[in-house]
Amino acid sequence: MARSVVILGTQWGDEGKGKIVDLLAHEADAVVRFQGGHNAGHTLLVDDRKTVLHLIPSGILTDRARCLIGNGVVISPQALITEIEGLEKAGIEVRGKLGLSGACPVILGSHVALDQARERRRGKKAIGTTGRGIGPVYEDKASRLGIRIADLVDPARVEDKLGAVLDYHNFLLTEYYASDPVDAHRVAEDAARLGAELKPMLCDVTEELHRLRARGGAILFEGAQGSLLDIDHGTYPFVTSSNTTIGGVMTGAGVSPADIDYVLGITKAYTTRVGSGPLPTELDDEIGRRIAERGVEFGATTGRPRRCGWIDAVALRRMVQVNGITGLCVTKLDVLDGLDEVRICTAYEGVDTFPLGAEDWARVEPVYESVSGWQGDTRGITDAARLPGAARAYLERLETLVGAPVHMLSTGPEREANVMIRHPYHGD
Ligand code: IMP
């Protein structure tokens, strides 16, 4: 029986992870974020109420789970406090359940200004970031210049470190990007105030996780974004700045591969992407528009329309390998209901090896296999036996092509709308 389960997106994000995390969080003693920041948007629908979480682990809606933010997550203190207050207003208790690592890098206003200035400078080549300062803050972490949450709670330390960082950021903003500088005074004041508010929630996330594991507790690691947005394994440079693949769990929470029992890969029954960058199976036609409409494909964080296409079994297979996926959860199958045919990309023409970067991806021509569509309504189904035969055949073909079994289906936004073939915690 698995005690530690990781949930990862296997595409370009927005696979529907939030709902599955929420579902499994009810079985977990701790739910842990380990990478990314408030660029993520996990939409949960509970009792007809929609909640979008950006930074707080999706387990916050359960009574049982401790919610932990590991050192690999970059934190905008203001965004975190706004999110906490929003949940509290909705009657959800947060502060007693949430713990943060003091080693999380802090997103400052100047990181946001740099992110946006850089995107403007890129013009047509813009990455389409969420504009939340994610890239610049990870840069500062790697260059060893960054401020961490633990620094914020120590007024003398933060003043000293902030001075150096803001000097550098303002130089870049004014001299290189011809943008306005940030007000260093205000940033320092905000940092001290926000640090004091976050202080009671600081904890040793790694220690808590190892204690919990030693007691036989159940842990759920909640990935944000998707594997193809990984800084190393994704469609570089059209990626985010963290490791969204399995390695991020280890570095971003302080656990070892031996502490992971099960890896659940979430994939839509088709493909979507927000922002720019390669998307070999993109559909710029009636079917693409139909998928976008039926799937309500708009970004949870920025509201931007998502680009849609057929499922890409080549990319998915690679992500199954990179992540050591134990089982897949296929979401939004119902969006494909009623089509005469459904296509699966089974090979890339024009490249011999898996594409390394945007230039290689641009040369990719998808090769499709066509399978029969299905006319029945799969929305809300909870029993695999009720799936139309052609839908089952589609899923079986996918399993063969990508090399991982389908263990779950999500058949609607509601918490109950799932087919459970093998439960990540309770399966054999
Ligand atoms: P950044 O993470 O804001 O730097 O954005 C880099 C790329 O990742 C852009 O293409 C974003 O649209 C994409 N991205 C970041 N977070 C998410 C997410 O939660 N879902 C989908 N795409 C995302």
Side-chain angles (χ1 to χ4, degrees):
M1 205 170 78
R3 302 311 294 155
S4 293
V5 172
V6 179
I7 293 188
L8 298 173
T10 55
Q11 299 167 306
W12 281 278
D14 309 316
E15 298 90 351
K17 296 179 291 295
K19 184 195 124 168
I20 307 301
V21 175
D22 177 53
L23 185 79
L24 296 183
H26 290 266
E27 316 267 343
D29 299 299
V31 181
V32 190
R33 280 278 307 265
F34 53 88
Q35 50 67 232
H38 66 311
N39 48 348
H42 289 172
T43 309
L44 312 173
L45 194 66
V46 184
D47 302 333
D48 286 336
R49 200 173 62 195
K50 197 167 133 178
T51 304
V52 183
L53 298 172
H54 298 286
L55 206 44
I56 296 178
S58 303
I60 202 70
L61 302 186
T62 72
D63 294 330
R64 168 175 163 188
R66 171 93 164 129
C67 290
L68 296 170
I69 300 184
N71 59 278
V73 176
V74 290
I75 294 185
S76 155
Q78 186 58 66
L80 179 55
I81 286 169
T82 305
E83 197 167 317
I84 292 173
E85 287 173 351
L87 288 168
E88 284 173 342
K89 246 188 230 143
I92 297 159
E93 132 74 354
V94 183
R95 290 174 212 248
K97 289 198 292 197
L98 183 65
L100 333 170
S101 164
C104 293
V106 174
I107 301 180
L108 303 166
S110 46
H111 289 122
V112 176
L114 282 169
D115 191 1
Q116 295 175 0
R118 196 169 287 164
E119 283 285 273
R120 276 197 300 277
R121 170 69 70 93
R122 284 195 184 109
K124 279 201 185 122
K125 290 188 180 154
I127 286 167
T129 71
T130 58
R132 304 280 199 274
I134 305 296
V137 75
Y138 276 117
E139 271 174 58
D140 281 357
K141 168 181 166 173
S143 70
R144 295 160 287 185
L145 191 74
I147 310 257
R148 296 166 135 197
I149 291 283
D151 299 323
L152 279 195
V153 303
D154 180 337
R157 199 156 92 185
V158 77
E159 209 181 305
D160 183 39
K161 291 196 178 182
L162 263 181
V165 175
L166 292 176
D167 247 17
Y168 171 60
H169 287 174
N170 276 338
F171 177 80
L172 283 178
L173 283 169
T174 55
E175 303 301 314
Y176 187 74
Y177 291 112
S179 288
D180 294 331
V182 297
D183 179 344
H185 237 56
R186 245 193 76 192
V187 174
E189 263 175 34
D190 287 352
R193 177 175 51 82
L194 296 166
E197 196 164 348
L198 293 179
K199 191 173 180 180
M201 288 174 270
L202 288 198
C203 68
D204 184 341
V205 169
T206 301
E207 175 67 21
E208 274 202 36
L209 289 176
H210 286 280
R211 272 202 206 148
L212 192 56
R213 182 119 175 117
R215 284 206 315 267
I219 303 174
L220 185 62
F221 293 94
E222 175 181 7
Q225 291 86 43
S227 298
L228 288 157
L229 288 171
D230 184 277
I231 183 82
D232 289 291
H233 296 281
T235 48
Y236 191 88
F238 297 97
V239 291
T240 191
S241 296
S242 64
N243 281 115
T244 57
T245 51
I246 192 75
V249 181
M250 281 95 228
T251 55
V255 296
S256 83
D259 294 316
I260 307 298
D261 304 313
Y262 183 107
V263 186
L264 181 66
I266 317 284
T267 179
K268 274 181 187 157
Y270 49 95
T271 307
T272 64
R273 165 162 213 169
V274 275
S276 333
L279 181 58
T281 60
E282 185 163 12
L283 288 167
D284 190 17
D285 62 6
E286 245 340 283
I287 293 181
R289 281 185 283 281
R290 180 194 152 113
I291 290 176
E293 209 170 285
R294 286 181 61 110
V296 197
E297 295 297 352
F298 295 93
T301 299
T302 56
R304 291 179 291 175
R306 298 179 185 140
R307 300 153 63 198
C308 299
W310 296 119
I311 199 153
D312 183 340
V314 181
L316 204 52
R317 180 179 181 78
R318 176 68 161 221
M319 295 306 124
V320 163
Q321 292 170 333
V322 166
N323 292 311
I325 299 289
T326 318
L328 289 168
C329 170
V330 177
T331 63
K332 291 188 148 183
L333 186 66
D334 58 294
V335 172
L336 302 182
D337 289 353
L339 292 173
D340 292 333
E341 72 154 355
V342 175
R343 291 181 170 199
I344 308 174
C345 169
T346 55
Y348 294 157
E349 216 166 80
V351 293
D352 304 332
T353 51
F354 194 76
L356 265 187
E359 297 79 6
D360 305 316
W361 281 100
R363 281 200 294 275
V364 161
E365 274 300 326
V367 177
Y368 290 110
E369 182 175 309
S370 173
V371 299
S372 171
W374 51 92
Q375 298 311 313
D377 187 357
T378 63
R379 173 104 189 202
I381 284 183
T382 53
D383 177 4
R386 285 194 47 220
L387 285 173
R392 230 173 308 152
Y394 173 63
L395 295 171
E396 281 166 13
R397 183 69 188 129
L398 212 57
E399 289 182 322
T400 307
L401 287 167
V402 308
V406 174
H407 283 171
M408 279 175 82
L409 296 177
S410 165
T411 54
E414 304 77 20
R415 201 181 253 172
E416 332 38 68
N418 309 293
V419 176
M420 192 64 82
I421 296 158
R422 184 191 144 182
H423 194 291
Y425 283 110
H426 306 306
D428 304 323

